[in-house]
Amino acid sequence: MKNKKSRIVLVGGSTWTPGILKAMTTHLNEFPIEEIKLYDIDAGRQEVIGEFAKILFKEEAPDVKVSYTNDEAEAYKDVDFVFCQMRTGGFDMREKDEKIPMKYGVIGQETCGPGGFAYGLRSIRDMVQMVNSVRSYSPDAWILNYTNPAAIVALALDKIFPEEERVLNICDQPVNLLRSFASLINYDANKLEPVYFGLNHYGWFKHLYDEEGKDRMPEIKEIILNGGFRPVDAEQRDQSWLDTYAMVEDMLVDFPDYLPNTYLQYYLYPEYKFSKSDPNRTRTDEVREGREKKVFEECRRIVENGTAKDSTVVHNDAHGDMMVEVAASIFHNLRKTYVVMVRNNGIVSNLPDDSMIEVAASLSINGPQPYAVGPIDTFYKGLIESQHAYEKLTVEAYIEQSYTKALQALTLNRTVVDAKKARKVLDALIEANKDYWPELK
């Protein structure tokens, strides 16, 4: 079974794509590949990444067929996996997602608050079209979705395709955190067994068991409270990410029960996070000037020189490793454990069954088999139920083209809470997204 080779299409020309491609070359023993196709509607970005991919695989895996295309039929035909990481509207719309809310005193963030709301309403349309197209050309393909905001996308796809069993929404932040937690105790992150609950970008680690069954979380919490917290790959991170990880200590001081996902800071401390933000320079500017520029310059240099062997910029990381390892666990029935998004259906017994929760699950040829969490305490239940209501109303606003539900969603969001402010932000976002959103009535 492990000798069986897969056929993959990568959708979207993300700055993370070179790292995913590199991860594929380093995981070929456990995940043999027959063919890789890259698909993007942006021909300029696609050509840079596509030519880089051809050089990388020619040098490291010459038996793998590599191509890139802007044709949907060619991309999706006869594939086993669709790795999806599209960004509807590109960085230009991301910049508006982040900067428009700040004009009204609200956090501007890619996946949280009004920015995530705007991005979500844009993403749903293209994700639904993508699922329909994939099913036309490859009925049995697995769709592994990294497209943000994953919580809203996952809920929308579950509602629109309730019988769909081969779409798996995943996020690399839990595994990024696992790697960083493990480094604090000099332990192999792959040998830590997590108990995790929540929604995407809105969850907590309840336990972290080692191979002997000992919960290492108390030890990790003590280290963070006494010495702070940094990502394991801190030298590769922009300053905003270092600041983000540092906030884990603050969250532990206030809420010491569990280890939090870093994104919770935007919901728990919205006023503080807003006060530390620059409305004229957001994360989009940082990415454009940093990672975006660096990755594409490196890919162009590799294409010009005809070799990737001397590259120190392109490497596999948690993002690429997880995407490939998840596919391998499904394709080869390895039953490895990952934190993924699934319909609740009693997994967290006192949360709504229709919520798309993020929990640890065994991944096999039949998909995710999630591990039960049981009931959660009142504080966490209240936070999650409110966030789920916001996400559900956002999806319903899209499907029903409802202005009222969109306003309800933003009013519920913990980064906004004030209805008059929510209306001002919503109206500004409607104007900015008129080419992407359905008309809200």
Side-chain angles (χ1 to χ4, degrees), residues 4 13 43 68 79 92 98 104 106 144 151 159 166 189-190 273 309-310 330 337 339 392 394 396 411 426 441:
K4 184 181 177 184
Y68 59 94
V79 294
D92 288 344
E98 293 174 351
Y104 303 94
V106 179
L144 303 185
K159 188 173 183 67
R166 294 201 169 202
N190 294 317
K273 291 301 295 183
K309 289 184 177 180
D310 60 346
I330 293 171
T337 298
V339 174
K392 186 174 182 179
T394 300
E396 290 175 353
T411 304
L426 176 58
K441 304 170 185 176

Side-chain angles (χ1 to χ4, degrees), residues 69 91 128 136 170 196 204 290 294 332 388 394 421 436-437:
T69 181
F91 280 106
V128 169
S136 296
I170 55 180
Y196 187 90
W204 293 263
K294 182 169 67 174
H332 299 299
H388 168 61
T394 300
K421 188 180 292 186
Y436 298 96
W437 288 5

Side-chain angles (χ1 to χ4, degrees), residues 113-125:
F117 170 87
Y119 188 10
L121 289 185
R122 290 199 307 275
S123 296
I124 292 171
R125 179 196 66 184

Side-chain angles (χ1 to χ4, degrees), residues 78-308:
D78 297 329
V79 294
D80 301 302
F81 285 96
V82 178
F83 289 7
C84 184
Q85 47 179 0
M86 66 175 70
R87 180 182 292 280
T88 300
F91 280 106
D92 288 344
M93 291 307 299
R94 175 177 176 172
E95 183 175 14
K96 293 180 181 180
D97 293 344
E98 293 174 351
K99 293 181 178 178
I100 288 174
M102 296 192 74
K103 295 177 182 178
Y104 303 94
V106 179
I107 287 170
Q109 210 281 329
E110 178 191 14
T111 67
C112 303
F117 170 87
Y119 188 10
L121 289 185
R122 290 199 307 275
S123 296
I124 292 171
R125 179 196 66 184
D126 288 350
M127 287 298 299
V128 169
Q129 180 182 334
M130 184 270 294
V131 172
N132 283 325
S133 296
V134 170
R135 289 295 168 251
S136 296
Y137 299 108
S138 293
D140 297 322
W142 274 95
I143 299 170
L144 303 185
N145 176 51
Y146 255 139
T147 297
N148 273 320
I152 292 172
V153 169
L155 195 63
L157 294 182
D158 187 64
K159 188 173 183 67
I160 295 169
F161 302 102
E163 304 303 319
E164 177 63 66
E165 296 181 347
R166 294 201 169 202
V167 174
L168 183 63
N169 297 279
I170 55 180
C171 175
D172 62 0
Q173 191 57 5
V175 75
N176 277 321
L177 286 165
L178 271 174
R179 289 184 174 192
S180 298
F181 293 146
S183 71
L184 296 177
I185 55 174
N186 297 314
Y187 201 77
D188 183 350
N190 294 317
K191 295 179 180 179
L192 281 176
E193 179 185 341
V195 177
Y196 187 90
F197 70 91
L199 309 172
N200 178 244
H201 288 184
Y202 207 97
W204 293 263
F205 288 91
K206 191 174 183 180
H207 301 287
L208 290 169
Y209 295 109
D210 64 18
E211 284 187 301
E212 285 70 47
K214 179 181 177 182
D215 188 358
R216 306 298 294 271
M217 198 168 76
E219 180 183 354
I220 293 169
K221 288 196 292 187
E222 184 177 356
I223 292 172
I224 293 173
L225 288 171
N226 289 322
F229 188 47
R230 287 167 60 84
V232 67
D233 55 352
E235 71 284 351
Q236 300 167 20
R237 298 279 188 154
D238 295 325
Q239 184 59 46
S240 63
W241 270 112
L242 301 183
D243 296 340
T244 292
Y245 273 72
M247 284 293 292
V248 169
E249 181 181 1
D250 296 75
M251 288 188 275
L252 268 183
V253 169
D254 289 336
F255 309 107
D257 295 328
Y258 309 125
L259 286 166
N261 191 301
T262 51
Y263 285 90
L264 283 161
Q265 63 185 294
Y266 299 107
Y267 300 104
L268 297 176
Y269 312 109
E271 292 182 10
Y272 173 80
K273 291 301 295 183
F274 178 81
S275 72
K276 296 295 182 180
S277 301
D278 182 350
N280 299 310
R281 179 177 166 77
T282 62
R283 175 70 181 150
T284 302
D285 298 302
E286 191 177 53
V287 173
R288 276 175 162 161
E289 297 165 14
R291 181 177 179 82
E292 168 86 356
K293 182 179 179 182
K294 182 169 67 174
V295 168
F296 275 84
E297 282 182 352
E298 178 66 356
C299 286
R300 291 187 184 97
R301 186 192 68 82
I302 288 169
V303 172
E304 183 178 339
N305 293 345
T307 180

Side-chain angles (χ1 to χ4, degrees), residues 5-8 32-36 63-66 80:
K5 295 185 177 183
S6 64
R7 294 158 297 178
I8 302 167
I33 298 170
E34 177 183 333
E35 180 180 10
I36 295 169
D63 292 338
V64 177
K65 181 182 177 182
V66 179
D80 301 302

